[in-house]
């Protein structure tokens, strides 16, 4: 995988946030999600409306590829979802960041940032929140608007770019799980209807 070169696109608008404490500064992004067209996600700086990241979802490995229009052809990060596992693996700047599921029903994925801080993502496809050891919010990605296509992504300014990337990866991971469950439920419903129809014809 090609490594990121030059300056980072991890520069966005700032605002006063309630995350961590009342004086913390956050970086705010608008994320547009696409179902069939590429890229799968487009991430915009809300201050300038500039496209700063794209994320493409793939059926085969790597399952997610993150790039920036400011560095055409350069992959910033990749992510894979190992088979028969609930873990998520992100490759970033030559390092592997592993997000491990914690708890059977709680739907949390814990990981360690490059700076060594333990963090945890929790929630689902409509609302994901990243918490530090004190259960204080350092990042979030939530549905913004009735269509569900647009997301609002907030990142506390003192965390690294890998946390933003983990937000995109976790959203796509949760969306994939949600669609898989919906597909399984639909298949089960169709099978039940077919069985009922067959029984009625006897």
């Amino acid at each position: 995988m090609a490594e990121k070169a030059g300056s980072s696109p991890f520069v966005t608008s700032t605002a006063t946030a309630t995350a961590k404490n009342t004086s913390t500064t956050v970086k705010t992004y608008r994320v547009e999600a696409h179902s069939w067209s590429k890229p799968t996600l487009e991430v915009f700086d809300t201050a300038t409306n500039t496209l700063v990241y794209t994320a493409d979802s793939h059926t085969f490995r790597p399952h997610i590829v993150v790039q920036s229009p400011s560095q055409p052809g350069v992959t910033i990060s990749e992510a894979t979802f190992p088979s028969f596992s609930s873990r998520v693996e992100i490759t970033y700047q030559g390092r592997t960041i592993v997000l491990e599921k914690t708890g059977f029903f709680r739907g949390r994925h814990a990981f360690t940032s490059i700076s060594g801080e333990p963090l945890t993502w929790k929630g689902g496809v409509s609302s994901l929140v990243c918490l530090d050891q004190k259960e204080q919010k350092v990042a979030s990605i939530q549905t913004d608007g009735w269509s569900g296509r647009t997301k609002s992504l907030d990142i506390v300014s003192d965390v690294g770019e890998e946390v933003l990337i983990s937000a995109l990866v976790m959203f796509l991971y949760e969306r994939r799980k949600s669609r898989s469950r919906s597909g399984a439920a639909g298949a089960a419903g169709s099978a039940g209807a077919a069985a009922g129809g067959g029984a009625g014809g006897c």
Side-chain angles (χ1 to χ4, degrees):
M1 182 185 75
E3 292 297 335
K4 183 176 62 171
S7 60
S8 168
F10 191 51
V11 178
T12 62
S13 61
T14 59
T16 300
T18 56
K20 280 199 170 183
N21 57 65
T22 55
S23 62
T24 299
T25 300
V26 300
K27 301 175 182 179
T28 302
Y29 301 81
R30 184 181 80 255
V31 181
E32 294 186 0
H34 306 282
S35 295
W36 307 112
S37 61
K38 296 291 184 180
T40 312
L41 297 180
E42 293 180 305
V43 184
F44 295 85
D45 178 344
T46 56
T48 63
N49 201 35
T50 302
L51 179 64
V52 290
Y53 293 95
T54 62
D56 279 321
S57 180
H58 302 281
T59 303
F60 303 104
R61 296 189 178 198
H63 296 112
I64 298 172
V65 175
V66 179
Q67 296 182 313
S68 171
S70 67
Q71 302 169 50
V74 177
T75 295
I76 296 173
S77 180
E78 294 179 348
T80 59
F81 310 140
S83 301
F84 310 109
S85 173
S86 59
R87 65 190 281 166
V88 177
E89 297 176 357
I90 297 174
T91 302
Y92 174 75
Q93 293 188 344
R95 305 186 187 191
T96 299
I97 301 169
V98 178
L99 293 89
E100 293 276 10
K101 185 176 181 182
T102 60
F104 187 75
F105 296 106
R106 297 169 67 186
R108 293 186 169 212
H109 278 78
F111 69 106
T112 302
S113 70
I114 288 178
S115 65
E117 182 178 13
L119 299 171
T120 302
W121 279 103
K122 72 171 187 176
V125 68
S126 62
S127 177
L128 283 162
V129 178
C130 186
L131 304 173
D132 64 12
Q133 293 184 88
K134 298 179 180 179
E135 293 286 302
Q136 293 182 318
K137 184 171 67 175
V138 299
S140 65
I141 179 168
Q142 302 189 48
T143 299
D144 184 15
W146 64 270
S147 69
R149 180 172 173 265
T150 303
K151 313 292 175 182
S152 178
L153 171 59
D154 291 331
I155 305 286
V156 172
S157 58
D158 57 358
V159 299
E161 185 179 39
E162 77 277 8
V163 178
L164 181 149
I165 290 169
S166 74
L168 305 180
V169 170
M170 285 305 301
F171 168 75
L172 290 172
Y173 172 77
E174 291 294 339
R175 188 169 79 164
R176 180 176 294 208
K177 283 201 312 178
S178 177
R179 289 180 172 179
S180 178
R181 287 193 296 265
S182 297
S190 297
C202 292

